[in-house]
Amino acid sequence: MISWIRIIFLTPYKNASQRPYVHFLILIHIVYIYPLSYRIYNTVFLTEASNFFTQSLHMHIQLFYLIVFIVLRGTIILMITAGQLQEELVKTNEQLTYLSLTDDLTQVNNKRAVKDHLIQELARHRRSGQPIGIAILDIDNFKSINDTYGHVFGDEVLHTFTKVIKETIREIDTVGRYGGEEFVLILPNSDENQCITAISRIMEKVRKLEWEHDPVTITFSTGLVAVDDATAALDSIPLLDCADKA
C-alpha cells in the first residue's frame, strides 16, 4: 500500500501546478475508504451496534463523510478544470498575438511589428545614443517574376529571400516584411559602414542562390538610413520613408 501511494504521489504531471490538487483529490478518496470500510464491516460481521458508536451516530458520521467527500471532490475538479482553461486561454492569446505581428507567408515581422520594433529602438537610441541602421530591401522586378513564372514561384522567392536574411543577420537585428516585395532591416548598434557590410553579405548570399527556373537571378535594391542626432527626432514612419527614398 505504501509503495502504491508513493508511486501515485511521485508521478510527474504534464502541468506541475496541478500536482497539489491531484494529490489532495487522491487523499480524500483514501480518507473516504475508512468510514466506508467500517460501514461494510459493521453491516456484514456485527449484528449489534458498535461499542463506540451507536447505529444512529454512525449513520450521521457516514453522511457527513459523504457530504465532505462530494464537496471537496467537486471543488478540486473545478479548480483543476479552471487551471486548464486558464492555461489554454493564455496559449490562445499568445498564438493570436504572434499571428497579429507575423507575416503569414514569410513568418517574419509584419508591418505593424516592424513599426513597434522601430519605436522601441528609437527610444533606446535617445536614451543611450547608440547608432541604429534602418534599411529597406526591395526585390528587383518582382512583378515580372510573378507574371512570368507564376505566383507560386513568387512566393518561393519571398520565402527563400527572407530565410537568407534571417540566417545572415545577428540575433539583435530585426527583419520584417513591409509590404509586397519590400523588407525592412533594423540594425541596432550599427553605424552606416556596419550596415553596408551586413547588406553586402546578404547580397552575396542571394546572388549565389539557385532557382528551379534557370536562368533566374534575384537581385534587390537597398535604401539605408543611419539614425544619428539629426534624424533621431523623427518618428518611425518618416525614417522608413527616408530609407525608402535613399
Side-chain angles (χ1 to χ4, degrees):
M1 174 65 72
I2 295 176
S3 299
W4 177 76
I5 294 174
R6 185 184 294 114
I7 291 173
I8 293 177
F9 274 71
L10 294 180
T11 300
Y13 296 94
K14 183 177 181 180
N15 181 0
S17 63
Q18 295 178 3
R19 181 182 297 221
Y21 302 128
V22 176
H23 288 175
F24 189 65
L25 185 61
I26 295 172
L27 180 62
I28 62 175
H29 276 80
I30 295 174
V31 170
Y32 183 69
I33 291 174
Y34 168 74
L36 182 61
S37 301
Y38 179 79
R39 178 66 173 172
I40 294 172
Y41 173 80
N42 189 51
T43 303
V44 174
F45 297 102
L46 298 181
T47 56
E48 298 181 355
S50 170
N51 294 330
F52 300 98
F53 299 101
T54 64
Q55 288 291 342
S56 177
L57 179 60
H58 183 271
M59 290 178 61
H60 283 82
I61 293 175
Q62 180 70 21
L63 180 62
F64 171 77
Y65 265 102
L66 179 61
I67 294 173
V68 170
F69 171 77
I70 293 174
V71 171
L72 289 179
R73 186 176 185 275
T75 301
I76 296 300
I77 291 175
L78 286 175
M79 293 175 69
I80 293 174
T81 304
Q84 292 173 340
L85 292 175
Q86 179 66 25
E87 288 186 355
E88 291 177 2
L89 179 61
V90 170
K91 290 180 180 179
T92 300
N93 288 335
E94 290 176 350
Q95 291 175 349
L96 290 175
T97 300
Y98 174 80
L99 292 175
S100 69
L101 298 174
T102 304
D103 179 65
D104 182 58
L105 175 61
T106 59
Q107 294 300 300
V108 296
N109 297 289
N110 60 16
K111 188 174 183 177
R112 173 187 170 187
V114 167
K115 292 178 180 179
D116 291 343
H117 279 290
L118 185 52
I119 290 172
Q120 295 173 6
E121 289 300 328
L122 287 174
R124 186 190 61 79
H125 167 79
R126 289 163 186 152
R127 293 193 305 268
S128 65
Q130 294 294 325
I132 309 171
I134 304 170
I136 290 187
L137 282 56
D138 191 350
I139 299 176
D140 297 328
N141 304 314
F142 186 72
K143 184 178 184 304
S144 176
I145 293 172
N146 268 335
D147 292 341
T148 303
Y149 302 105
H151 289 278
V152 173
F153 180 70
D155 289 347
E156 180 187 342
V157 169
L158 292 174
H159 184 271
T160 304
F161 182 71
T162 309
K163 182 180 178 181
V164 170
I165 295 174
K166 291 193 293 184
E167 291 174 350
T168 306
I169 61 177
R170 304 166 299 176
E171 289 187 4
I172 64 172
D173 299 332
T174 299
V175 59
R177 187 181 179 192
Y178 199 62
E181 68 274 19
E182 281 190 336
F183 294 84
V184 174
L185 277 180
I186 302 175
L187 307 168
N189 304 332
S190 300
D191 57 25
E192 185 174 354
N193 291 331
Q194 291 171 318
C195 292
I196 292 174
T197 300
I199 294 170
S200 297
R201 289 198 301 266
I202 296 172
M203 280 186 171
E204 183 65 19
K205 290 186 177 182
V206 170
R207 185 181 64 82
K208 294 180 180 179
L209 290 173
E210 297 181 356
W211 304 95
E212 61 176 310
H213 296 290
D214 197 31
V216 173
T217 300
I218 303 300
T219 60
F220 63 91
S221 304
T222 305
L224 173 64
V225 170
V227 179
D228 53 23
D229 294 337
T231 55
L234 295 176
D235 291 330
S236 58
I237 300 302
L239 280 172
L240 290 170
D241 290 340
C242 289
D244 194 24
K245 296 174 182 178

